[in-house]
Amino acid sequence: DKGYETLMPKGLFEGEGDAMFVEGVLYGGYGFRSSPEEYQEIADFLEVEVVLLELVDPRFYHFDTCFTVLDSRTVAFFPAAFSKDSQATIRQSFERVIEVAEEDAVAFGLNTFSDQTNVITSAQATGFHEQLEEAGYIVHPVDVSEFRKSGGGIKCLTLLLDQIH
């Protein structure tokens, strides 16, 4: 009633946990809590390109548990969480791709916040910290072990209003 146009997807769509914008393109994870069909409806509504990425490991039920955007040209991901085709799409879509080890992924290391210079991530993802530092980022480890019990990490504790398309 305030003049906003809204969309309520008809099927399964978990919102920001399964969808991320990178340079105006919506990358959408599907397989456990979001269905691929919903993304076409979202793409039409927002008038954006959508790249679908299939999740195949149920430990990584949301896209943001196994994929993170560090800056406009750099992402990090845990390959085994994705289908082979989706792994190839990720590697081809970005200039710089950091592949993270399983122990850092299960520690919710990829559920991060990045301002393109600083990366706030799980204190337990120590191997990922080294990869980030080697890539030139300033790492800020935070112990979120208690919050992880609820199934979330750093990104789940954020609300990024500036990224609304």
Side-chain angles (χ1 to χ4, degrees), residues 58-111:
R59 296 176 300 169
F60 303 97
Y61 45 83
H62 273 161
F63 184 45
D64 69 1
T65 64
C66 52
F67 179 93
T68 191
V69 178
L70 298 167
D71 60 47
S72 62
R73 63 186 192 95
T74 310
V75 299
F77 83 117
F78 174 52
F82 294 89
S83 69
K84 295 290 184 195
D85 287 346
S86 293
Q87 290 176 36
T89 297
I90 291 168
R91 290 181 183 113
Q92 293 167 2
S93 296
F94 298 95
E95 186 177 325
R96 193 163 61 161
V97 176
I98 298 171
E99 296 188 15
V100 175
E102 182 175 13
E103 57 268 15
D104 293 324
V106 296
F108 274 59
L110 289 161
N111 194 263

Side-chain angles (χ1 to χ4, degrees), residues 39 42 56-57 64 81 92 98 114 139 145 158:
Y39 286 102
I42 293 164
V56 296
D57 184 333
D64 69 1
Q92 293 167 2
I98 298 171
S114 174
V139 179
S145 55
T158 65

Side-chain angles (χ1 to χ4, degrees), residues 20-26 42-43 45-49 160-165:
M20 293 180 209
F21 278 103
V22 184
E23 297 291 301
V25 176
L26 183 63
I42 293 164
F45 182 79
L46 296 176
E47 299 178 354
V48 296
E49 176 187 353
L160 302 176
L161 296 176
D162 67 329
Q163 293 196 5
I164 294 174
H165 185 68

Side-chain angles (χ1 to χ4, degrees), residues 3 6 32 55 65 70 72 96 100 137 147 154:
T6 60
F32 297 104
L55 301 170
T65 64
L70 298 167
S72 62
R96 193 163 61 161
V100 175
Y137 296 97
F147 188 69
I154 297 293

